[in-house]
Amino acid sequence: MTFKELAPFVIAITALVCIALLIRTDRKKIFTIDGIFAILGIIAGFAITCMNLLYSNNYTITIGPIVAITSSAYLSLKDTINQYAGNLPFRFGQKTISFINIIFWGATLTALVSYFTAPLYSRPIVFFLSIALALTMLGLELFSLKPDKVSVLIAISKILFVSVMLRASANLISPYPIGSDQWFHMKIISEMMSSGSIQALIGHISSEYPFFPIMHLYVIACQLIGNIDVKLAMFIVGAALALSTVFVYLLVKTITSNENIALISMLLLNFADFHLEWSIEIIAMSFGLSLYALLLFLMFRKKEFDKMNYSLIIFTFILITLTHTISSFIAFITLISLYVGSIIYGKLYPNGKKEFYIDIRLCIIVMFILFGYWTFSNCNFFYFVISQLKLSLMNAGFLSRPTMSFIPDPSSHQYGDLINILGFLIFVVFGIIGVLWSTSKANAGQARIALVVTMLVLFFVFFIFPVMGMRSIVPYRWPAFIYMGFILFVSQGLSLSFNVVRKNFRVIAFVPLFFVLIFCMIANSFSNSDTPYFGSTSSLNYYTVSEMISFETLNTTYDGDIFVDYDSYEMPLTKYLNRSETSSYSLTPLGGFDWSNMTDGMVVLRAKTVTHPVRGLYNGSYYDIVLGNDIPSHLNNSAAVLFDSGSLKGYVLP
């Protein structure tokens, strides 16, 4: 059954579970601030669930029921949650901690050995399982830690060691760039190094990035200081992103005054899928994320006006503005949302204390910095966002996003797609609990409420804009920023939830849940740059040495048009080899090749595209297609094979 066919059953089950939970809820609990938020969550969740009758995918079929049921469960268990809220879920003796550490280091060593003994361009399943086990043990330790300076420093070192190890294993799996945009940024860096000039890029490679050079200059500095190649220097940006999670640790510690929750937040953020993604597929936004973490910490650092902190916030915002447009735009939205959130806090909790300082003057200064620099640099980003947003609003329609897919039998992949986002869904469950608990009168603070408002705004952009067909502000990049604030509520929700479980069963419940959470985060198609284990509709985003040698040879020996998948067209051929005589596969409405638009040239197939999807062009847009065996069979029968390198095969069209 497809998700849309399952929708009536999901709606019925969601309604029954919510009713069963609410029946046993005291009505007095509803007429509180957190109770009202929970009711709103139930209504919103049920509305999203019903939306599946019109349009359904792996997000809509799961998020709606999760929001509704989790909000209902919070109301039902509110008293029990508050009763144990001040406790930590685990308290282990020294012998148990030593045993946990033995498992942690044993699993980490197993992951390293499995990686270095694996075949080229692959990481075995044992690698991911071992890391998940190691981090599960570390999670147990962090939740039971009696924090002091030494133990906290050791815990942070463990988190960062495994984090950098995982990111390096993915980013360095190929000597060539990972993903799409990294090819472009590597070319910019190489050109800046050879010319010794930023302005030389204008009109040559990019008219925009000479005005946003911070990440590129950082990579060049790493190259010169370390005497390393550009690939390894770019990975240092990914390592810097991992190190920036220390600021999130300090942020959570500042807001909650709880060292354990802060350490768990740092652990979860380091291994969250979207955070991992941008330290593997390194672009200018990766460095922007690091600066965003620092900016978040600075904005919550002082309770009153402080010239030094004020200046640091402005300086950090200038750096983000000089680094990446989307990063600075999200930072600006965050600043405005925090300011509005602090006002909302004053209205909802009139007797509350001020916990951080942001005023309208700071918002105005930042606005002038951002839009002033965009105007000075002739950056079209603001104009692009506004014009595209206007166009989108004119053409927007509820659920108007394109749904075409050329994946054979998409319903057969949908359950794999559910597992692909399982880690994110677990985040949402505990995040909702943490958010609702934080809005109760006894637990609310200015910082928490402002952060809740900010998360609602950012999640709104992430989910609602694509649903309305609006993509001008690249919403798929926003989750990496969302995680940095949302992780506080996820960690808080985890702690609260396991406090409710009976002590004898807490470890039994925690270990498998945390293991699944980490494994699904580090091995899904967002963070896993080699063969995905979840969702067979995920394409490969790296190239092997043999593939690149074949492309380079083909580029120098063949003068005709080359038809390849969109990724190969965009990355190695156009951006790396500067070839103009190349095009993406042209598709028909049924998902086959449109041979009428592919004549007098050569079709090149990557060997792995028979089983993994690639992108092709149809009606001006790009869609996924799995070639299967039909298209290669057709080419074998109707076209001449010019070359076959094993990894690539070229057919001369008749």
Side-chain angles (χ1 to χ4, degrees), residues 33 329 450:
I33 295 177
F329 185 68

Side-chain angles (χ1 to χ4, degrees), residues 498-517:
F498 282 102
N499 272 329
V500 174
V501 180
R502 290 177 59 182
K503 287 186 177 180
N504 295 338
F505 296 100
R506 286 180 188 175
V507 174
I508 297 173
F510 178 86
V511 169
L513 178 68
F514 206 81
F515 180 88
V516 169
L517 168 61

Side-chain angles (χ1 to χ4, degrees), residues 417 420 524-526 532 534-540 611-613 624:
D417 290 341
N420 197 40
N524 69 21
S525 62
F526 302 108
F534 305 137
S536 55
T537 56
S538 300
S539 59
L540 299 176
T611 55
H612 288 79
D624 287 338

Side-chain angles (χ1 to χ4, degrees), residues 1 82 129 148 179 222 230 244-245 259 331 382 410 417 511 513 521 576:
M1 297 179 70
N82 287 325
L129 293 172
D148 57 61
C222 292
V230 63
S244 72
T245 58
E259 198 91 52
F382 181 65
D417 290 341
V511 169
L513 178 68
M521 282 290 190
Y576 184 72

Side-chain angles (χ1 to χ4, degrees), residues 1-42:
M1 297 179 70
T2 64
F3 286 149
K4 196 169 183 180
E5 292 169 337
L6 281 173
F9 301 100
V10 174
I11 293 170
I13 293 171
T14 302
L16 290 173
V17 173
C18 290
I19 291 170
L21 289 168
L22 291 174
I23 284 176
R24 49 183 294 189
T25 302
D26 187 351
R27 291 184 180 180
K28 294 180 181 179
K29 298 178 186 177
I30 297 176
F31 298 105
T32 58
I33 295 177
D34 57 329
I36 293 172
F37 274 113
I39 292 298
L40 291 175
I42 295 169

